[in-house]
Amino acid sequence: MKRLSFAFLAALVTNASADNPTPCMMNDAAVLRELFNSTRGNEWTIGNEWTDSDPFCSFCDWAEVRCKNNRVTGLSLANGNLNGPIPTDIGLLSELKKLKLHNNRLTGNLPEEIGKLNKLTSSGPSALPSIV
Protein backbone atom coordinates (compact mmCIF):
# COMPACT_ATOMS: atom_id res chain seq x y z
CA MET A 1 0.00 0.00 0.00
CA LYS A 2 2.82 2.42 0.82
CA ARG A 3 4.40 1.82 -2.58
CA LEU A 4 1.12 2.61 -4.34
CA SER A 5 0.58 5.76 -2.25
CA PHE A 6 4.10 7.00 -3.01
CA ALA A 7 3.62 6.39 -6.75
CA PHE A 8 0.31 8.23 -6.66
CA LEU A 9 1.84 11.16 -4.77
CA ALA A 10 4.78 11.34 -7.19
CA ALA A 11 2.39 11.44 -10.14
CA LEU A 12 0.44 14.29 -8.52
CA VAL A 13 3.59 16.33 -7.86
CA THR A 14 4.84 15.78 -11.42
CA ASN A 15 1.52 16.87 -12.91
CA ALA A 16 1.26 19.87 -10.60
CA SER A 17 4.70 21.15 -11.55
CA ALA A 18 3.98 20.73 -15.26
CA ASP A 19 0.72 22.67 -14.95
CA ASN A 20 2.17 25.48 -12.82
CA PRO A 21 5.02 27.26 -14.57
CA THR A 22 7.59 29.20 -12.61
CA PRO A 23 6.82 32.83 -11.73
CA CYS A 24 9.57 33.89 -14.14
CA MET A 25 7.73 32.35 -17.06
CA MET A 26 4.45 33.95 -16.02
CA ASN A 27 6.13 37.35 -15.57
CA ASP A 28 7.69 37.25 -19.04
CA ALA A 29 4.37 36.21 -20.60
CA ALA A 30 2.57 39.01 -18.74
CA VAL A 31 5.10 41.60 -19.95
CA LEU A 32 4.70 40.45 -23.56
CA ARG A 33 0.91 40.62 -23.23
CA GLU A 34 1.20 44.16 -21.83
CA LEU A 35 3.48 45.17 -24.71
CA PHE A 36 0.98 43.70 -27.18
CA ASN A 37 -1.96 45.49 -25.54
CA SER A 38 -0.26 48.88 -25.07
CA THR A 39 0.97 49.04 -28.68
CA ARG A 40 -2.26 47.98 -30.39
CA GLY A 41 -1.11 44.43 -31.03
CA ASN A 42 -4.25 43.63 -33.00
CA GLU A 43 -2.95 46.07 -35.67
CA TRP A 44 0.60 44.68 -35.83
CA THR A 45 1.89 43.44 -39.16
CA ILE A 46 3.89 40.80 -37.24
CA GLY A 47 3.21 38.62 -34.22
CA ASN A 48 -0.09 36.99 -35.14
CA GLU A 49 0.71 34.18 -32.73
CA TRP A 50 0.79 36.63 -29.80
CA THR A 51 -2.94 36.09 -29.37
CA ASP A 52 -2.36 32.41 -28.51
CA SER A 53 -4.43 31.36 -25.50
CA ASP A 54 -1.54 29.58 -23.73
CA PRO A 55 0.13 32.41 -21.77
CA PHE A 56 2.99 30.42 -20.33
CA CYS A 57 5.40 28.53 -22.55
CA SER A 58 4.03 29.29 -25.99
CA PHE A 59 5.62 32.75 -26.16
CA CYS A 60 9.00 31.08 -26.75
CA ASP A 61 7.58 29.71 -30.01
CA TRP A 62 6.60 33.14 -31.34
CA ALA A 63 8.69 34.19 -34.35
CA GLU A 64 9.73 37.56 -32.94
CA VAL A 65 10.70 36.23 -29.51
CA ARG A 66 13.95 34.52 -28.57
CA CYS A 67 14.17 32.52 -25.36
CA LYS A 68 16.59 30.55 -23.29
CA ASN A 69 15.36 28.37 -20.43
CA ASN A 70 11.83 29.74 -20.95
CA ARG A 71 12.98 33.33 -20.38
CA VAL A 72 12.77 36.06 -23.03
CA THR A 73 16.24 36.96 -24.30
CA GLY A 74 15.35 38.78 -27.50
CA LEU A 75 12.53 40.76 -29.12
CA SER A 76 12.65 41.64 -32.83
CA LEU A 77 9.64 43.86 -33.40
CA ALA A 78 11.08 46.32 -35.92
CA ASN A 79 8.76 47.40 -38.74
CA GLY A 80 5.83 45.77 -36.97
CA ASN A 81 3.33 48.66 -36.89
CA LEU A 82 3.53 48.96 -33.10
CA ASN A 83 1.58 52.06 -32.12
CA GLY A 84 1.54 53.37 -28.55
CA PRO A 85 3.77 53.50 -25.48
CA ILE A 86 6.33 50.92 -24.42
CA PRO A 87 5.08 49.62 -21.06
CA THR A 88 7.26 50.18 -18.02
CA ASP A 89 6.98 46.46 -17.24
CA ILE A 90 9.52 45.85 -20.00
CA GLY A 91 12.08 46.29 -17.23
CA LEU A 92 10.93 42.95 -15.80
CA LEU A 93 12.43 41.05 -18.75
CA SER A 94 15.66 40.60 -16.81
CA GLU A 95 17.19 38.14 -19.32
CA LEU A 96 16.58 40.40 -22.33
CA LYS A 97 19.74 40.80 -24.42
CA LYS A 98 18.39 42.06 -27.77
CA LEU A 99 15.60 44.57 -28.32
CA LYS A 100 14.66 45.78 -31.79
CA LEU A 101 11.77 48.23 -31.92
CA HIS A 102 12.77 50.68 -34.67
CA ASN A 103 10.50 51.81 -37.51
CA ASN A 104 7.29 51.72 -35.49
CA ARG A 105 4.93 54.43 -34.26
CA LEU A 106 5.76 54.30 -30.57
CA THR A 107 4.68 57.20 -28.36
CA GLY A 108 5.63 58.60 -24.99
CA ASN A 109 8.98 58.50 -23.27
CA LEU A 110 11.39 55.60 -23.36
CA PRO A 111 10.68 53.91 -20.01
CA GLU A 112 13.42 54.36 -17.42
CA GLU A 113 12.98 50.67 -16.62
CA ILE A 114 14.85 49.78 -19.81
CA GLY A 115 17.93 50.94 -17.89
CA LYS A 116 17.40 48.01 -15.51
CA LEU A 117 18.03 45.56 -18.33
CA ASN A 118 21.72 45.07 -17.63
CA LYS A 119 22.05 42.17 -20.09
CA LEU A 120 20.84 44.27 -23.02
CA THR A 121 23.68 44.30 -25.55
CA SER A 122 22.47 44.92 -29.09
CA SER A 123 19.84 47.58 -28.88
CA GLY A 124 21.99 50.43 -30.07
CA PRO A 125 20.44 53.69 -31.28
CA SER A 126 19.39 52.18 -34.61
CA ALA A 127 17.50 49.38 -32.88
CA LEU A 128 15.64 51.49 -30.33
CA PRO A 129 12.63 53.46 -31.46
CA SER A 130 12.40 57.14 -31.95
CA ILE A 131 9.55 58.01 -29.63
CA VAL A 132 7.17 60.76 -30.69
Side-chain angles (χ1 to χ4, degrees):
M1 182 68 167
K2 286 184 180 181
R3 177 173 267 160
L4 179 60
S5 297
F6 178 74
F8 179 72
L9 181 60
L12 283 177
V13 169
T14 302
N15 286 337
S17 63
D19 292 338
N20 296 314
T22 65
C24 298
M25 292 165 53
M26 288 188 285
N27 285 345
D28 285 7
V31 171
L32 295 179
R33 295 280 183 219
E34 180 62 24
L35 177 64
F36 182 86
N37 291 333
S38 71
T39 58
R40 298 183 188 172
N42 57 334
E43 297 175 7
W44 288 6
T45 56
I46 57 172
N48 294 333
E49 60 275 306
W50 285 49
T51 58
D52 189 324
S53 61
D54 177 11
F56 301 115
C57 291
S58 67
F59 65 85
C60 288
D61 296 328
W62 300 343
E64 303 79 12
V65 179
R66 299 290 175 265
C67 290
K68 183 175 182 180
N69 299 322
N70 289 321
R71 296 297 315 274
V72 174
T73 60
L75 290 174
S76 296
L77 301 171
N79 305 304
N81 198 38
L82 283 69
N83 186 358
I86 299 171
T88 58
D89 284 353
I90 199 155
L92 297 174
L93 296 176
S94 60
E95 297 299 315
L96 192 64
K97 295 178 182 177
K98 295 182 181 183
L99 178 61
K100 296 182 180 181
L101 297 172
H102 56 283
N103 295 331
N104 285 297
R105 295 178 296 166
L106 297 167
T107 60
N109 295 321
L110 196 60
E112 290 180 25
E113 289 77 3
I114 285 183
K116 295 177 183 177
L117 301 173
N118 57 9
K119 295 184 180 183
L120 203 55
T121 58
S122 66
S123 63
S126 64
L128 286 177
S130 36
I131 306 277
V132 292

